[in-house]
Amino acid sequence: MSEEEKRSAADYVPKQRTLPIMSKAVQSCRGCDLFKFATQAVFGEGKAKARIMMVGEQPGDQEDLQGRPFVGPAGRILDKALDEAGIDRSTVYVTNAVKHFKFEERGKRRLHKKPRVGEVNACRPWLDAEIETVKPRIVVALGATALLSLGGRALHVLRDRGQFFPHPIAGALMVTIHPSALLRIPDHDQREIEYKRFVDELKQVKLRLESGSRPA
């Protein structure tokens, strides 16, 4: 096992696990090296007992600067999609698998860089603690990194998106794309098709929540 694989945020997650306490404690996390370059850690945001938790990959540039999840371009798409799906954003807990922004500099710009598996695994104790504290009815994996952190190693976003799977705490895990993926589709018509599919998947989340059904 490499040194990176041995590292973990577990030692930094407080024993008293309330969202405000963890949100403060995460700023001192040294579970991987990403803290050295990010402005700050970005913890989750939302109601303490939200019935839906949405998990993305990592903070983006604006999230890193503002200290809040999903406030950049992808966040605006998520807000719009939630609204069209009939889900009140204020009732949803949103967070990321990785709490620090990983990037590479291009001139004055900071461009997103995908976290390594070791970094995702190192940060997982924070996500586990959030899920255990909030106890959502449904957790939504937004993209492959979120799915990896949620333990869905046997699942694949493109193959399994739009489907529900069992989750040990939340009860149900929904797989879908990260809204940032929509920003990378150059063709307008195809982007609209994928956006509509994303909204339809969020509508399924709302229907399952209202029906109270569980995955098989």
Side-chain angles (χ1 to χ4, degrees), residues 176-188:
T176 186
I177 60 170
H178 193 286
S180 65
L182 298 167
L183 295 170
R184 297 192 292 270
I185 300 175
D187 182 78
H188 177 270

Side-chain angles (χ1 to χ4, degrees), residues 98-113:
V98 174
K99 308 307 184 192
H100 286 101
F101 180 33
K102 182 175 182 178
F103 60 91
E104 59 182 38
E105 293 182 313
R106 296 278 183 86
K108 295 183 178 180
R109 299 178 65 196
R110 300 189 304 171
L111 300 182
H112 162 276
K113 190 173 182 180

Side-chain angles (χ1 to χ4, degrees), residues 89-104:
R89 162 74 187 260
S90 69
T91 67
V92 177
Y93 186 90
V94 293
T95 191
N96 285 297
V98 174
K99 308 307 184 192
H100 286 101
F101 180 33
K102 182 175 182 178
F103 60 91
E104 59 182 38

Side-chain angles (χ1 to χ4, degrees), residues 13-14 17-26 43 126 129-130 133:
V13 178
R17 296 182 180 182
T18 67
L19 295 179
I21 288 174
M22 290 192 292
S23 180
K24 184 177 180 180
V26 75
F43 201 64
W126 288 113
E130 286 177 290
T133 301

Side-chain angles (χ1 to χ4, degrees), residues 2-3 16-17 35 40 45 55 73 78 97 108 113 134 142 158 163 174 180 187 198 204-206:
S2 68
E3 287 303 313
Q16 187 176 359
R17 296 182 180 182
F35 78 93
Q40 58 194 314
E45 182 178 272
V55 182
L78 180 61
K108 295 183 178 180
K113 190 173 182 180
V134 176
L142 300 170
L158 296 182
Q163 299 183 56
M174 153 68 89
S180 65
D187 182 78
F198 182 56
Q204 290 181 47
V205 172
K206 183 173 186 286

Side-chain angles (χ1 to χ4, degrees), residues 58-102:
Q58 65 160 340
D61 181 72
Q62 286 302 308
E63 287 82 3
D64 172 73
L65 295 173
Q66 296 184 40
R68 297 178 58 204
F70 287 94
V71 293
R76 289 191 287 274
I77 291 178
L78 180 61
D79 286 349
K80 183 172 181 285
L82 285 169
D83 182 62
E84 291 186 22
I87 299 174
D88 185 348
R89 162 74 187 260
S90 69
T91 67
V92 177
Y93 186 90
V94 293
T95 191
N96 285 297
V98 174
K99 308 307 184 192
H100 286 101
F101 180 33
K102 182 175 182 178

